């Protein structure tokens, strides 16, 4: 075992370090909390029948998501490089092979593909800031709000423009580096988002249909559960926690030696899951109160929440604030999606951060037009999972991320020697033992079972 470098865990990263443990938690939370929680979780829970899906999702988060996240952070901190170089380095150091770099490589590609559609939806939230300010939602009924959404996404130029603005903002932050500004933004955004979600929840509780919403989300009807929905739940756990593609590994590379990985993971997972559930609880009562259909797809949030704001006192202000915060949340996630690719280009090809950000960002922007057009010009062009947008979404969340997670846990649980992982996770107590069982057996076997059953 070539573990002579194990003592050399004090490598430093080329991109600087987080200023504190809190800064790391905030950055990872900023990456985790995003459109996945507020836009995607409710709409896919709706499409997959609610209750049973939510239960499977929660099981995936705890039994698979947590050990994968811990593995990613510990690998990232030990390697202290971009995910491709880290996997290569540790692969060799642990006596296996440099080919493990392909896991990092797949993550780089997944991040680029995910951001190509993520930025388009983030663009919708920017456009909704403008709509909210204009007051179009005041007193609007479900038909008006529905028509607003359909007209907007039907206009490829408007969607393309907002996608362009969002990518521009993302490239700007990534070009400036990891530390500056980001921590401050997240410190404000997550609590503010939480407060607004609680306000919306208050509105939903008063809608008269809260019971229906709760029943939909929490009464499991296993008849509705297919292997495909289980795969979607697993994919969503990966997507929502930002794991399986090296983003968290890239953040872990900047983590100080003495920070507890378990504690940080628990904090992030709690915040991420809490916000998703809150979004579901705010949205489904509105769905039932307005006679909408839970499975109306990617437009669900944009067709329900404006209804609530439209009825509230101060609705213009709160709607605007909400969409600004959602755009912010998307922004801090987008940064995480670009980080592996940018860090790789910087280290591997000696580019400056600014050059790398513009190159990768430009590529993502161009790819994004596949998704821009999926809601209008190419809406009827369907193959495999549906439109171009549907295919990129399905392929990345449901195959690339789980496969990445599988390989990451196999690497941390089986390839890395016990000393290395115990060193990073701080000793060999009960938490370490639990992680090891989850990372070696539960997570990889669970992922395999779901993948195999869903494709056959
Ligand atoms: N977790 C983000 C969300 O829920 O919106 C999406 C995401 C961000 C996935 C960063 C992956 C990632 F690296």
């Amino acid at each position: 075992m070539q573990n002579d470098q194990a003592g050399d865990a004090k490598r430093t990263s080329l991109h600087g370090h987080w200023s504190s443990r809190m800064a790391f938690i905030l950055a990872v939370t900023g990456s985790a909390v995003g459109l996945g929680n507020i836009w995607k979780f409710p709409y896919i829970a709706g499409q997959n029948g609610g209750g049973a899906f939510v239960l499977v999702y929660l099981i995936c988060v705890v039994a698979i998501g947590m050990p994968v996240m811990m593995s990613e952070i510990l690998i990232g901190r030990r390697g202290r490089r971009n995910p491709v170089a880290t996997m290569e380095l540790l692969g060799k150091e642990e006596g296996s092979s440099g080919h493990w770099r392909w896991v990092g490589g797949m993550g780089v590609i997944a991040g680029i593909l995910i951001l190509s559609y993520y930025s388009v939806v983030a663009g919708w939230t920017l456009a909704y800031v403008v709509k909210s300010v204009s007051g179009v939602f005041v007193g609007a009924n479900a038909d008006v709000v529905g028509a607003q959404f359909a007209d907007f996404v039907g206009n490829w130029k408007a969607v393309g423009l907002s996608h362009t603005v969002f990518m521009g903002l993302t490239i700007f932050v990534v070009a400036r580096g990891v530390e500056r500004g980001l921590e401050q933004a997240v410190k404000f955004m997550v609590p503010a988002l939480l407060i607004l979600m609680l306000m919306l929840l208050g509105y939903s509780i008063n809608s008269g249909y809260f019971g229906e919403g709760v029943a939909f989300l929490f009464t499991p009807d296993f008849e509705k559960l297919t292997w495909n929905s289980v795969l979607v739940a697993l994919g969503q756990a990966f997507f929502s926690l930002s794991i399986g593609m090296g983003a968290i590994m890239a953040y872990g590379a900047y983590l100080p030696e003495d920070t507890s990985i378990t504690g940080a993971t628990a904090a992030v997972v709690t915040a991420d899951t809490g916000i998703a559930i809150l979004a579901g609880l705010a949205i489904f009562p509105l769905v039932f109160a307005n006679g909408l259909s839970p499975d109306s797809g990617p437009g669900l949030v944009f067709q329900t929440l404006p209804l609530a704001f439209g009825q509230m006192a101060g609705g213009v202000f709160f709607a605007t604030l909400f969409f600004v915060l959602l755009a912010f949340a998307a922004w801090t996630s987008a940064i995480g999606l670009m980080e592996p690719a940018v860090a790789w280009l910087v280290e591997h090809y000696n580019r400056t951060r600014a050059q790398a950000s513009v190159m990768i960002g430009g590529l993502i922007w161009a790819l994004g037009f596949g998704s821009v057009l999926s809601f209008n010009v190419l809406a009827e062009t369907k193959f495999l999972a549906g439109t171009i947008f549907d295919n990129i979404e399905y392929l990345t969340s449901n195959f690339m991320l789980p496969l990445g997670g599988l390989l990451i846990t196999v690497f941390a649980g089986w390839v890395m020697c016990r000393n290395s992982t115990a060193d990073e996770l701080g000793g060999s107590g009960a938490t370490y033992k639990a992680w090891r069982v989850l990372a070696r057996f539960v997570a990889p076997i669970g992922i395999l079972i779901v993948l195999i059953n869903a494709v056959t």
Side-chain angles (χ1 to χ4, degrees), residues 31-32 34-37 118 239-242 245 247 333 336-337:
S31 158
L35 296 171
N37 307 62
Y118 199 84
F239 181 83
S240 191
L241 296 172
S242 307
M245 52 155 281
S333 298
L337 284 163

Side-chain angles (χ1 to χ4, degrees), residues 24-33 69 73 240-241 248 262-274:
F24 172 77
I25 294 184
L26 284 170
V28 179
T29 308
S31 158
V33 174
M69 185 178 276
I73 302 175
S240 191
L241 296 172
I248 301 289
T262 316
T265 302
V268 173
V269 169
T270 308
D272 189 71
T273 310

Side-chain angles (χ1 to χ4, degrees), residues 53 159 169 192 243 343 377 384-385 421:
F53 175 86
V159 177
L169 292 170
I243 52 178
V377 182
L384 303 170
T421 50

